[in-house]
Amino acid sequence: MSTNHGLRFDETRFWVIHRRLEYGPFDYEWSQDFRGVELTYQGTKFGEICSAQEIHADLKEFALPMRVVQVASLVFGCMLLGVKSGFSAGERASLLNNTLLDHGCGHFVTPTT
């Protein structure tokens, strides 16, 4: 991982490192009825995923760099797809790394061991 760009994870929380600055934590939790997922940044709810067709998210109030928003969105999507699909930790890491590469965010890829 570059010292300039990367990702840091702790359980469901993650931070995006962009130009040596760390943004986060980003996190999610299941809604009370377990039908959706609430998305948070620094403990503040900024969106929710109700279904694959119904996603609401707005990070505008935090004035984050667009690349941070893009990477966080990709990480959330991969995390939730992996969990919902029952992927192993290795499969989730591979999905995330491939997705980041596919979207021009290869410098955020986390090495796998």
Side-chain angles (χ1 to χ4, degrees), residues 26 39-41 44-48 55-64 69 73:
F26 292 90
L39 308 175
T40 63
Y41 176 69
T44 301
K45 180 179 172 181
F46 72 85
E48 61 184 306
I55 300 171
H56 307 279
D58 185 359
L59 285 163
K60 188 175 185 177
E61 72 179 278
F62 303 106
L64 299 171
V69 172
S73 298

Side-chain angles (χ1 to χ4, degrees), residues 20-75:
R20 295 185 184 200
L21 296 175
E22 199 170 77
Y23 299 88
F26 292 90
D27 202 356
Y28 73 91
E29 64 180 46
W30 296 100
S31 61
Q32 290 183 352
D33 62 5
F34 293 105
R35 293 185 181 188
V37 176
E38 295 180 353
L39 308 175
T40 63
Y41 176 69
Q42 297 181 337
T44 301
K45 180 179 172 181
F46 72 85
E48 61 184 306
I49 300 173
C50 302
S51 70
Q53 296 78 28
E54 191 175 0
I55 300 171
H56 307 279
D58 185 359
L59 285 163
K60 188 175 185 177
E61 72 179 278
F62 303 106
L64 299 171
M66 195 49 138
R67 183 59 96 187
V68 172
V69 172
Q70 179 185 22
V71 170
S73 298
L74 293 171
V75 173

Side-chain angles (χ1 to χ4, degrees), residues 50-105:
C50 302
S51 70
Q53 296 78 28
E54 191 175 0
I55 300 171
H56 307 279
D58 185 359
L59 285 163
K60 188 175 185 177
E61 72 179 278
F62 303 106
L64 299 171
M66 195 49 138
R67 183 59 96 187
V68 172
V69 172
Q70 179 185 22
V71 170
S73 298
L74 293 171
V75 173
F76 272 127
C78 290
M79 286 174 67
L80 296 172
L81 177 62
V83 167
K84 188 174 179 183
S85 300
F87 291 173
S88 69
E91 290 170 323
R92 290 192 307 267
S94 179
L95 172 65
L96 175 58
N97 287 343
N98 289 334
T99 301
L100 289 169
L101 287 168
D102 290 347
H103 288 86
C105 300

Side-chain angles (χ1 to χ4, degrees), residues 5-25:
H5 297 89
L7 296 166
R8 185 168 65 88
F9 294 92
D10 179 23
E11 304 272 333
T12 60
R13 297 180 306 163
F14 67 94
W15 290 257
V16 176
I17 302 161
H18 177 62
R19 296 183 175 175
R20 295 185 184 200
L21 296 175
E22 199 170 77
Y23 299 88

